Amino acid sequence: MFCYQCSQTARGTGCTVRGVCGKIPTVARLQDNLIFTMKGISAYNYNANVLGEYNPEIDAFLTKGLYTTLTNVNFDVEDLVALALEAGEKSVDVMRLLKNAHIKAYGEPRPVEVKVGAQEGPAIIVTGHDMKALEELLKQTEGTGVNVYTHSEMLPAHGYPGLNKYKHLVGQLGGAWHDQRTIFKKYNAAIVGTSNCVLPALDAYKERMFTMDVAKLEGVKTVENYDFSEVIECAKSLGGLEAEELTTITTGWSAGAIVEHADKIKELVEAGKIRRFFVVGGCDKAARHNDYYREFVKNLPNDTIILTLACGKYKFNDLDLGDIEGIPRLLDVGQCNDTIVAVDVALALSELFDLPLNELPLTIVLSWMEQKAAAVLWALLYLGKTDMWLGPILPAWCNDDIINVLVENYNLTPISGDAIADIKTILGE
Ligand code: FSO
Ligand code: SF4
């Protein structure tokens, strides 16, 4: 444990073995777990609020949950697990609130092939997660000759009818959030960071970068009240990008678009042509141990379907995995903000095969970088999903105290780091 939130703290630096107040390490870690899960819920909630959607029960839970972690309020190991499950319930609610807000504003996404690479002309690159910011930018750039590109988690914007109707939303540049310094340096474009996943800017592009809303960077200008005029002028003044060879990636699989194929999916499962579904997603990071995910997906047998979401998909979404009688093997259901789509597909499969969630041929494998992943994990646990795989590296606060709770109560398996061995274990080979 490490707690330094009150003045009783040991040696004036922090309680690490046991709290001077009597707090035991597992309670301390479960309080951390609750705080980090609530940070994740707040990220979803904030984006939903931006689109005008509110749920007072979620706001009330955030207040109660934070109060619970105040000094000398809650020392119960069981109640904090119950609160984590309640946080999971609110995670489900807030993810659904946000997804419905996106669908209400921009229509339900449809699968779409997105061009990856630069096209000739002045350009603005939009990174982060905020669809409303992108929509306002697209409106203001219409007819100006400026092309708009998505980066990282903005990729799923291309699937929304209300956003892809703008023809100057031309494509995607780069992959996951951690390549931003390389990509922003490489392309002579104006850049807008709309939400989390920005990194302190390099001098090479600091002058042409803007942030907005909660995202702020030292020395970087901000966009206020969705007024992108300075960004657009900046893009025009830079002279534009040179065309390069383009590739494509597919995104935009909504729950509705997948469920349209329910009859075919049922037929293929019953004929033994689809053996298992995998949800492989979560946060990406640059570290080499995350190459595990490319190995994992590349080595899954041809009779498996993979749903993916969040920036973890950039480890493998360039792979051509083919299809099973017309059903693509790799289905990108969107951002980390779209995790509810994978949940809804799993629930639809449960209904289709009349099987409880845990008896479906479905395995969930999650990478974990930041706090939205904690909210997603507790959402899945709240829904009763057990036997999930997590890793290969977890945040440092998620120590044995937390892992033991997850392993003992939910049969969670820490990823071994050997993708092929893990596939064999999952498939019982
Ligand atoms: Fe990735 Fe996380 Fe959303 Fe970022 S899940 S890492 S910091 O939030 O972009 O997918
Ligand atoms: Fe230590 Fe308890 Fe104070 Fe935390 S709340 S610093 S564990 S005495």
Side-chain angles (χ1 to χ4, degrees), residues 201-220:
L202 300 179
D203 288 343
Y205 58 81
K206 196 179 252 181
E207 291 289 310
R208 50 187 172 84
M209 183 162 187
F210 300 78
T211 59
M212 58 188 296
D213 213 16
V214 292
K216 298 278 183 298
L217 295 174
E218 193 184 351
V220 167

Side-chain angles (χ1 to χ4, degrees), residues 107-128:
E108 185 159 21
R110 302 292 307 170
V112 63
E113 270 200 351
V114 181
K115 290 180 182 141
V116 181
Q119 300 172 50
E120 195 177 334
I124 299 172
I125 303 171
V126 185
T127 193

Side-chain angles (χ1 to χ4, degrees), residues 129 152-153 177 196-197 282-284 310-312 336 369-370 372:
H129 301 74
S152 189
E153 283 283 74
W177 62 275
N196 55 299
C197 300
C283 314
D284 195 22
C311 54
C336 46
M369 212 286 288
E370 40 76 300
K372 275 187 205 173

Side-chain angles (χ1 to χ4, degrees), residues 168-386:
H168 60 296
L169 177 63
V170 293
Q172 165 89 359
L173 293 173
W177 62 275
H178 52 76
D179 76 7
Q180 63 188 259
R181 287 181 169 145
T182 309
I183 293 298
F184 297 170
K185 198 171 155 184
K186 176 178 174 186
Y187 294 105
N188 192 26
I191 303 148
V192 183
T194 65
S195 73
N196 55 299
C197 300
V198 286
L199 289 171
L202 300 179
D203 288 343
Y205 58 81
K206 196 179 252 181
E207 291 289 310
R208 50 187 172 84
M209 183 162 187
F210 300 78
T211 59
M212 58 188 296
D213 213 16
V214 292
K216 298 278 183 298
L217 295 174
E218 193 184 351
V220 167
K221 293 182 283 291
T222 55
V223 171
E224 305 293 342
N225 302 317
Y226 298 103
D227 177 359
F228 291 98
S229 49
E230 203 180 338
V231 181
I232 296 165
E233 284 315 307
C234 174
K236 286 181 179 168
S237 73
L238 293 169
L241 306 184
E242 288 177 19
E244 61 184 4
E245 199 170 328
L246 302 178
T247 57
T248 59
I249 42 179
T250 302
T251 187
W253 282 92
S254 61
I258 294 173
V259 168
E260 275 172 23
H261 299 282
D263 290 346
K264 183 68 183 171
I265 289 170
K266 191 162 193 237
E267 177 196 318
L268 290 170
V269 170
E270 286 172 354
K273 293 178 181 173
I274 295 177
R275 181 177 6 167
R276 181 161 282 270
F277 299 87
F278 286 83
V279 175
V280 184
C283 314
D284 195 22
K285 35 190 181 290
R288 285 196 62 186
H289 57 252
N290 256 36
D291 293 346
Y292 171 93
Y293 282 92
R294 188 173 183 83
E295 282 304 294
F296 187 90
V297 168
K298 205 166 69 178
N299 285 291
L300 284 172
N302 290 336
D303 53 2
T304 57
I305 298 278
I306 303 112
L307 273 72
T308 189
L309 54 94
C311 54
K313 63 171 161 273
Y314 286 106
K315 280 284 188 279
F316 50 79
N317 68 348
D318 60 320
L319 294 172
D320 180 4
L321 299 182
D323 64 277
I324 304 175
E325 295 190 12
I327 308 292
R329 288 192 54 227
L330 183 63
L331 305 168
D332 174 12
V333 303
Q335 303 178 322
C336 46
N337 283 352
D338 298 313
T339 305
I340 197 71
V341 177
V343 168
D344 284 342
V345 171
L347 295 174
L349 289 174
S350 171
E351 200 173 311
L352 185 67
F353 295 104
D354 196 19
L355 285 173
L357 208 50
N358 288 324
E359 288 179 29
L360 284 174
L362 167 74
T363 301
I364 298 180
V365 186
L366 294 176
S367 58
W368 184 345
M369 212 286 288
E370 40 76 300
Q371 298 91 48
K372 275 187 205 173
V376 168
L377 179 66
W378 282 102
L380 293 165
L381 296 174
Y382 161 73
L383 290 168
K385 181 66 190 143
T386 60

